[in-house]
Amino acid sequence: MKRYVLTSESVTARHPDKICDYIADSILDHALAQDPYSQMTMEAVLKDRLLFLYGKYSSKAVLNFKKIAKHCLEELGYDASCYIATKITQQPQKEKDDSEEEMVNQGMAFGYACKDTEDYMPAPIYYAHLFSRQLAETLKKKAAGSIGKVQVCVEYVDDKVARIDTIFISIYGKCEMPQSDFQRMMMTQVIKAVIPERLIDGKTQYLLHFYEKETDTDSGATGRKLVCDTYGGVGRIGSGCFSSKDPRQTERTAAYYCRFVAKNIVAHGLAEKCEIQVSYATGKEEPISLFINTFGIGIMDDDGFHSVISHNFSFKLKDMIRELNLLRPIYKDTSVYGHFGNNHYLWEQIKKLEV
């Protein structure tokens, strides 16, 4: 019998790194809402009530960067009176249509799926995000302005989820209640509200702490929570972050499509778990490599999986964009609580396969 424990982390939307992701993707959404052919790489850095926006874009959209950022700060309960500086370059826009789509940068991307959970996500990151969402709602009522971080340790037996070994919740901010009341609130309003009873036993550890701290002095930057954004360290990650990048960039669109393919492989019972990797070269329409890994437990050999994928999916940029309907303002909501596992997005949908 093989036993091991895997851990994943999630953070609430008010974490400074997530604030920066949220601002970057909100700017992208504003551009796509006006011009679906907008191209953009926009990032943010936050420290001591100073927000710095920098990057480049090509779009017909009219964008008030500071106004968008201020609105995001207000939504997240951060001090919107902070100073906002910008260093943004607007580049000429080339007239294009869908038939001419090609990757604007080189890079690689991974997608992963497994049978741990109903959403085909690894159990540690799945439950970490559930806790984090519930924690954020609880903090709005009891400790507004606080930052929450969650770690969930899941024990596996023979590669199957067996139990939750440890739940670690730490909060930074201002709270008027004693630690004992805080811990009781976490147990009743967060943990028991989310976790299935069958996964908790008498040996499960609960590490619940509140730290008094001024949170608006913390630093943050776009793209620093890539493990939280993907598979919690279980599946591998690609060559860059997602937030702020438009659909013509490898790191984002290819990662979404790889997840789409991997999830469909698992959901149709072709493998217990699946990982897909693709790589692209600048200006090339199709990937220069495609790797499929079913960890030796798929129902067919590698040639069989390549055949299934070639008959049912296309990794051409124009086809990925069309199938997942990516040229629209959907991205700010992806910037918190992970880009995968939310069935609202088309890359999480199950489609009929020809096998």
Side-chain angles (χ1 to χ4, degrees), residues 151-167:
Q151 284 182 207
V152 178
C153 308
V154 176
E155 181 178 336
Y156 289 76
V157 176
D158 292 337
D159 296 327
K160 304 293 184 183
V161 174
R163 56 185 290 275
I164 302 295
D165 182 79
T166 304
I167 299 169

Side-chain angles (χ1 to χ4, degrees), residues 5-11 116 121-132 149-156 164 166-169 227-235:
V5 175
L6 292 176
T7 302
S8 293
E9 177 189 76
S10 180
V11 299
D116 279 7
M121 288 291 286
I125 192 64
Y126 174 82
Y127 288 113
H129 284 323
L130 285 182
F131 279 130
S132 195
K149 300 180 73 173
V150 175
Q151 284 182 207
V152 178
C153 308
V154 176
E155 181 178 336
Y156 289 76
I164 302 295
T166 304
I167 299 169
F168 173 42
I169 299 177
V227 174
C228 291
D229 289 341
T230 52
Y231 307 102
V234 176

Side-chain angles (χ1 to χ4, degrees), residues 27-154:
I27 293 172
L28 174 61
D29 278 356
H30 275 78
L32 291 174
Q34 300 176 57
D35 177 6
Y37 293 98
S38 297
Q39 296 185 21
M40 180 170 292
T41 301
M42 191 71 57
E43 300 186 35
V45 174
L46 184 65
K47 178 69 175 83
D48 289 342
R49 299 180 180 85
L50 167 63
L51 175 65
F52 179 40
L53 305 175
Y54 61 98
K56 59 184 180 180
Y57 75 106
S58 175
S59 177
K60 297 177 182 177
V62 177
L63 301 170
N64 186 328
F65 298 100
K66 292 184 179 181
K67 183 177 180 180
I68 296 169
K70 184 176 180 180
H71 179 69
C72 292
L73 294 173
E74 291 172 344
E75 284 186 299
L76 297 172
Y78 192 89
D79 185 358
S81 65
C82 74
Y83 180 75
I84 302 174
T86 62
K87 184 65 175 179
I88 299 167
T89 302
Q90 183 174 12
Q91 298 178 321
Q93 187 176 37
K94 179 183 175 182
E95 292 294 333
K96 299 184 70 172
D97 58 48
D98 291 340
S99 66
E100 299 174 331
E101 295 292 3
E102 58 187 29
M103 286 295 181
V104 299
N105 64 331
Q106 68 184 55
M108 62 179 185
F110 283 94
Y112 181 84
C114 63
K115 287 191 172 181
D116 279 7
T117 65
E118 60 185 11
D119 289 332
Y120 301 98
M121 288 291 286
I125 192 64
Y126 174 82
Y127 288 113
H129 284 323
L130 285 182
F131 279 130
S132 195
R133 284 180 180 273
Q134 186 69 18
L135 177 61
E137 290 301 312
T138 303
L139 293 178
K140 286 180 182 179
K141 303 172 184 177
K142 301 293 185 178
S146 297
I147 298 170
K149 300 180 73 173
V150 175
Q151 284 182 207
V152 178
C153 308
V154 176

